[in-house]
Amino acid sequence: MRDNMIVIDNLHKYFGHIEAVKGVDMTVDKGEVVAIVGPSGSGKSTVLRCINHLEIPTSGSVIIEGVNLEGKSVNLNEVRAEVGMVFQQFNLFAHLSVLDNVTIAQKLVRKRSKEEAKEIAMQQLKRVGIPEKADAYPRQLSGGQQQRVAIARSLAMNPKIMLFDEPTSALDPEMIKEVLDVMLDLAEAGMTMVVVTHEMGFCRAAASRVVFMDGGQVVETDTPEVIFTNPSHERTQLFLSKILAH
Amino acid sequence: MTGPELQIETTTDWRGSWREFPWWLVAIIAFLVMMAYLIITTPNFNEAFNFIRGGLQVFNEEGQLEIVATGLSMTLQVTLLAFAIALVLGLLAGLGRISHNIVIRNIAVTYIEFIRGVPTLVLIFTLAFVIVPAVSDALGIENSLEQHWRAIVALAVIYGAFLAEIFRAGIESIPPGQMEAARSLGMTYSQAMRHIILPQAIRNISPALGNDFIAMLKDSSLVSVLAVRDLTQMARLYAGSTFRFRESYLVLTFFYLTLTIILSLFLRWYERRLGKQGS
């Protein structure tokens, strides 16, 4: 029996009259790194945002560690505390220092003491390689540094799952590597991760499975080797030929 | 720091600085200096000034301890208290305005649109003579609320509606990603609002709040219709008893202009400081 962390069942999401996600099924096992790839507008970010219910699915269900988020008595805040999320635009709290960014949710949600939260925050900032920026403000950091702080902010909550929504798409090329390195470390440490990305190098290096989405549906799911060398669907081949052309 | 910086930009181009120089402020200060000169040197102006300024009367007719503020201190008291209450009302109504709860949202919108649709003076009469007595009757409180408290309540309720729209705009000016990030970390809506959204929103709207404070200082003159002895009422009393209309109303103008100029210079200085921090 596999250890399912996330089970997505027949997920549909409408925005007004537009159906962004058309019946997606997906499972993510403990310790797996699942990369979701596909052309823009294919619904991959929407699927990711439905996992922690930042978007409420129109129909279908999301089950995290056996808890069905559609259930009436579910405390979404408790579930979200276990599911870290990293955004394309970092979304660091602009009015707080780096340290406060990483400690505030620990104090408010995890009810940790100031000292404990600070200690954990410094550990995580060391892990992402920028402990010296603890007193800086987000606007004083480069994009890559901001994204690493955002990762530390999520990790400080000790999540069981990490979601990444195109974490390197807003970065200058020279900063992409520093963020991907942190993500690779995290994958090697056994974190369960779902990553929406255009970084095929990262998929090859870290993904246990690649999910190719197009038009709001999952077209094909397989290991990176198979997807990149021998995809079975024409749409997958077409997409890969475009992004791997140069 | 000696005071508000008056020059808007320091520039090496002297013609630029000539154009940027705040001549309007020179004109206003000239008026204030002229008035100050008249008040100091002319007995009639001096008497009007002292009467309108009023003061704190600590004992009432029966010799009991009772603090009664008149003139300047009444205007400041009404403005500060009414603004403090209006901030609370405005924040609540502003949050209600963006609530997903239909009942709460509609209560907030009704309040805001009702107040915005009726002239301030009419609202002051209605609130002071109809609503406040009705509410205190309903609550079983003896209808003994002093007139200046009715004035404070009226101004607070009126400005609460205006501040609500400022708070709403401030909250909506914060990128949605801030709320999403807070919620994704497991914070509740109110935790995210209190610790993440509002601190940033209030910073953004503080200049607008300052402007409304100045507007309220001026609108506090309307409470004189309730016979509250603020600056305006004192000027009316003085003019009525001495027929020195020129002295009364020039001195009254002097009072308000001095207060608003000081406040608006402070606000400009504060906005510049915010701008520097933000960049």
Side-chain angles (χ1 to χ4, degrees):
Chain A
M1 155 101 190
R2 293 195 304 178
D3 196 357
N4 290 149
M5 289 292 274
I6 307 171
V7 179
I8 299 172
D9 184 29
N10 198 21
L11 184 78
H12 290 262
K13 177 66 185 178
Y14 281 86
F15 292 108
H17 294 296
I18 297 159
E19 190 173 19
V21 178
K22 303 170 182 168
V24 165
D25 299 298
M26 197 185 292
T27 58
V28 180
D29 297 335
K30 192 168 198 286
E32 249 194 325
V33 177
V34 173
I36 306 179
V37 301
S40 60
S42 59
K44 51 197 193 304
S45 281
T46 307
V47 169
L48 192 78
R49 290 161 59 85
C50 281
I51 292 177
N52 66 352
H53 271 41
L54 276 187
E55 302 290 353
I56 307 295
T58 310
S59 69
S61 66
V62 176
I63 298 166
I64 292 181
E65 286 199 294
V67 178
N68 188 334
L69 303 198
E70 266 60 50
K72 281 215 159 63
S73 57
V74 169
N75 184 339
L76 276 182
N77 299 319
E78 281 174 18
V79 175
R80 288 187 182 131
E82 307 295 335
V83 182
M85 186 155 193
V86 175
F87 299 85
Q88 185 177 350
Q89 298 295 339
F90 331 132
N91 295 347
L92 290 183
F93 305 134
H95 63 305
L96 297 178
S97 71
V98 164
L99 184 65
D100 289 339
N101 262 278
V102 185
T103 56
I104 186 162
Q106 295 188 61
K107 290 185 275 192
L108 291 173
V109 180
R110 292 282 191 228
K111 310 290 180 203
R112 287 174 187 154
S113 70
K114 204 177 155 187
E115 293 73 27
E116 193 189 0
K118 188 178 171 186
E119 200 186 315
I120 292 169
M122 290 312 297
Q123 283 169 10
Q124 295 303 340
L125 286 174
K126 279 195 192 95
R127 183 173 185 176
V128 300
I130 37 176
E132 74 280 4
K133 296 288 183 188
D135 295 322
Y137 279 81
R139 64 174 177 276
Q140 299 166 321
L141 304 182
S142 70
Q145 290 171 329
Q146 289 193 51
Q147 193 61 296
R148 285 187 281 155
V149 172
I151 294 172
R153 176 174 70 177
S154 285
L155 290 177
M157 298 294 285
N158 305 111
K160 292 173 179 156
I161 299 166
M162 285 286 284
L163 309 176
F164 293 83
D165 190 2
E166 303 199 22
T168 56
S169 298
L171 295 177
D172 291 337
E174 72 269 24
M175 292 168 186
I176 291 176
K177 186 176 177 295
E178 66 189 48
V179 171
L180 290 181
D181 285 346
V182 169
M183 291 169 65
L184 279 170
D185 280 350
L186 205 54
E188 277 165 25
M191 176 64 79
T192 307
M193 292 162 67
V194 183
V195 186
V196 171
T197 186
H198 295 294
E199 295 296 329
M200 296 305 142
F202 173 81
C203 293
R204 279 214 179 89
S208 26
R209 263 189 308 141
V210 175
V211 175
F212 176 70
M213 280 186 70
D214 193 13
Q217 288 168 318
V218 174
V219 176
E220 170 163 18
T221 303
D222 219 314
T223 60
E225 293 76 39
V226 174
I227 291 274
F228 288 123
T229 56
N230 192 17
S232 44
H233 283 73
E234 203 183 324
R235 281 193 282 178
T236 320
Q237 289 163 6
L238 190 66
F239 174 73
L240 289 173
S241 70
K242 277 180 190 161
I243 64 163
L244 298 175
H246 47 86
Chain B
M1 186 131 332
T2 53
E5 288 174 60
L6 305 183
Q7 235 158 319
I8 290 159
E9 280 301 329
T10 41
T11 161
T12 47
D13 178 1
W14 68 271
R15 269 192 300 194
S17 66
W18 189 251
R19 280 169 172 275
E20 298 287 324
F21 191 79
W23 297 107
W24 60 272
L25 189 63
V26 175
I28 286 173
I29 288 175
F31 169 78
L32 294 178
V33 168
M34 186 196 76
M35 284 302 304
Y37 176 77
L38 281 175
I39 289 164
I40 292 165
T41 57
T42 320
N44 284 356
F45 273 97
N46 190 267
E47 192 186 281
F49 176 83
N50 284 325
F51 186 89
I52 294 168
R53 187 188 63 200
L56 286 172
Q57 187 187 326
V58 179
F59 293 97
N60 65 9
E61 294 91 55
E62 286 104 53
Q64 290 159 322
L65 187 68
E66 185 190 38
I67 297 170
V68 182
T70 56
L72 183 59
S73 43
M74 178 56 95
T75 288
L76 293 177
Q77 186 190 349
V78 166
T79 306
L80 286 170
L81 286 173
F83 196 75
I85 301 169
L87 280 175
V88 177
L89 281 176
L91 176 59
L92 291 176
L95 287 171
R97 179 86 171 67
I98 54 166
S99 168
H100 294 295
N101 183 314
I102 301 167
V103 177
I104 293 174
R105 189 172 68 240
N106 277 286
I107 290 173
V109 176
T110 307
Y111 163 57
I112 293 164
E113 295 299 330
F114 192 102
I115 299 290
R116 278 158 46 117
V118 182
T120 312
L121 187 57
V122 177
L123 280 169
I124 286 178
F125 281 129
T126 313
L127 282 160
F129 294 123
V130 184
I131 310 287
V132 170
V135 170
S136 45
D137 276 356
L139 294 173
I141 308 165
E142 197 189 334
N143 187 13
S144 65
L145 202 55
E146 280 178 61
Q147 210 64 345
H148 80 276
W149 275 106
R150 295 190 194 193
I152 288 168
V153 169
L155 276 180
V157 168
I158 292 162
Y159 267 79
F162 292 101
L163 296 188
E165 289 293 275
I166 295 179
F167 276 110
R168 179 189 60 78
I171 291 165
E172 286 177 348
S173 76
I174 305 302
Q178 296 281 306
M179 178 57 95
E180 287 181 356
R183 296 308 302 275
S184 78
L185 289 163
M187 287 187 212
T188 64
Y189 178 82
S190 46
Q191 281 174 333
M193 196 46 93
R194 185 173 149 211
H195 295 278
I196 306 301
I197 307 299
L198 282 179
Q200 299 183 62
I202 287 169
R203 205 189 105 115
N204 287 356
I205 62 173
S206 51
L209 292 178
N211 277 329
D212 263 34
F213 182 76
I214 294 172
M216 184 182 243
L217 178 74
K218 292 187 290 177
D219 275 357
S220 75
S221 66
L222 291 169
V223 305
S224 61
V225 299
L226 303 177
V228 173
R229 292 190 163 200
D230 73 328
L231 285 171
T232 306
Q233 179 66 2
M234 295 301 274
R236 288 170 64 188
L237 289 173
Y238 186 74
S241 61
T242 62
F243 299 105
R244 290 185 196 134
F245 293 99
R246 199 180 44 157
E247 287 84 347
S248 304
Y249 292 117
L250 277 177
V251 167
L252 184 61
T253 304
F254 170 77
F255 267 113
Y256 281 114
L257 194 57
T258 308
L259 291 171
T260 53
I261 275 295
I262 291 170
L263 284 171
S264 79
L265 287 177
F266 172 75
L267 205 62
R268 275 158 190 264
W269 167 79
Y270 177 72
E271 271 177 63
R272 277 167 54 95
R273 214 185 58 142
L274 267 190
K276 273 184 199 151
Q277 277 179 354
S279 58

